[in-house]
Amino acid sequence: NAGVMQNPRHLVRRRGQEARLRCSPMKGHSHVYWYRQLPEEGLKFMVYLQKENIIDESGMPKERFSAEFPKEGPSILRIQQVVRGDSAAYFCASSPLPYEQYFGPGTRLTVT
Amino acid sequence: DAKTTQPTSMDCAEGRAANLPCNHSTISGNEYVYWYRQIHSQGPQYIIHGLKNNETNEMASLIITEDRKSSTLILPHATLRDTAVYYCIVRVAGVNNAGNMLTFGGGTRLMVKP
C-alpha cells in the first residue's frame, strides 16, 4: 500500500504567481489534512477535508488560499498571488477514519 | 485540545533506551495521547497512541500514568536513525468534525549519540 504522495516535492514560484500543491491520500483514506511548516517553526494545521467537503478550515489564511478534495483525484491546495512569506513546507496527511494521520513527504515551496 | 509540556531536548546513547516524557495535566477523559516524530525535514511519522492503557508496537512503547496526567514514550534500543523531534499530542479521536487536527507544540529534540 503506497503511502501518502505529494507533488511536486519542490516548487519555485515568483511573487504574484499561483502555486498548486497536490496530495494523493493512501488507498482507502477519505480524510485529508493540510499543514504548513514555516522555516524553523512547528507544523500548523490549515484545513481538514473529506471527499467533496471542507470540514474545518480554521487554520487557512483568509485570502489567497483554498483547498479542495474532489470525488475523483487528489486533494489540491491552491495559493494565489504568492508572496515571500508563503515559502514553507506544506504537508498533507490522510486517515481512513479520524484517528491517526499518516503524512506525506511534503512540498517545499520557495517564492522568489 | 489539552496542552502538552515536553523537554526541549534530550540525548541518548546508541543502543540504550530513550525515555521521552510528556506532561498533559489538563487532558480530558475522551482525549488520546499521540506521539509523532519528524526526522530532519521529512513528513511527521506516526509512532503510537493510547487512551489509558499502556501500548506497545514495533516502534515503541507508551506508558500512561494512572491519572493520565503524564506519559512516557520509550524507544527500547535507540539507533542513530531515531534522532528526530518527537511530538506528544493530545486530541479527541474518532470525531468526524471540526477540531480534528493535530496541534504540534515544540516537541523534544532527541539526539542519539554513538
Side-chain angles (χ1 to χ4, degrees):
Chain A
N1 187 9
V4 177
M5 300 179 70
Q6 291 187 248
N7 67 81
R9 296 290 304 278
H10 300 273
L11 182 62
V12 180
R13 284 287 179 266
R14 291 200 173 120
R15 280 178 295 171
Q17 291 185 320
E18 178 180 287
R20 280 182 178 247
L21 288 63
R22 294 174 185 77
C23 169
S24 297
M26 292 176 69
K27 186 176 181 181
H29 289 196
S30 59
H31 301 252
V32 166
Y33 312 78
W34 286 93
Y35 294 81
R36 176 168 68 174
Q37 187 169 31
L38 296 170
E40 304 303 322
E41 293 189 16
L43 285 90
K44 303 293 184 188
F45 166 77
M46 299 182 75
V47 63
Y48 164 35
L49 311 101
Q50 293 176 36
K51 284 287 187 181
E52 300 184 277
N53 289 305
I54 296 175
I55 305 302
D56 183 350
E57 56 182 347
S58 59
M60 286 280 270
K62 293 289 186 287
E63 298 177 347
R64 302 186 298 107
F65 285 72
S66 63
E68 62 177 11
F69 188 18
K71 187 176 180 181
E72 301 291 337
S75 175
I76 306 287
L77 179 68
R78 182 182 178 205
I79 311 172
Q80 295 178 290
Q81 300 176 314
V82 295
V83 301
R84 287 222 171 107
D86 297 332
S87 294
Y90 291 82
F91 293 99
C92 166
S94 73
S95 65
L97 295 169
Y99 291 101
E100 60 269 26
Q101 298 174 18
Y102 296 91
F103 285 78
T107 293
R108 275 137 192 93
L109 172 66
T110 301
V111 179
T112 60
Chain B
D1 287 348
K3 291 185 178 179
T4 62
T5 304
Q6 299 178 253
T8 304
S9 63
M10 290 181 63
D11 290 344
C12 177
E14 187 179 19
R16 305 296 290 269
N19 298 288
L20 291 88
C22 179
N23 287 323
H24 31 79
S25 58
T26 60
I27 191 170
S28 300
N30 62 346
E31 288 183 312
Y32 287 70
V33 180
Y34 283 78
W35 283 84
Y36 283 79
R37 72 181 182 183
Q38 187 173 26
I39 297 173
H40 193 43
S41 55
Q42 297 177 22
Q45 179 185 21
Y46 165 78
I47 301 174
I48 199 167
H49 75 281
L51 184 62
K52 51 185 177 181
N53 296 323
N54 298 337
E55 302 288 343
T56 295
N57 63 20
E58 64 279 3
M59 288 184 68
S61 295
L62 174 60
I63 308 299
I64 303 174
T65 58
E66 194 169 341
D67 63 6
R68 302 212 320 126
K69 293 183 184 298
S70 65
S71 60
T72 301
L73 178 75
I74 301 172
L75 307 178
H77 304 287
T79 71
L80 299 179
R81 287 178 292 183
D82 291 322
T83 293
V85 179
Y86 287 77
Y87 297 98
C88 170
I89 299 168
V90 294
R91 69 187 271 261
V92 177
V95 177
N96 199 24
N97 56 21
N100 191 29
M101 75 289 282
L102 294 170
T103 302
F104 290 84
T108 296
R109 189 171 297 274
L110 176 69
M111 179 74 71
V112 180
K113 298 184 174 181

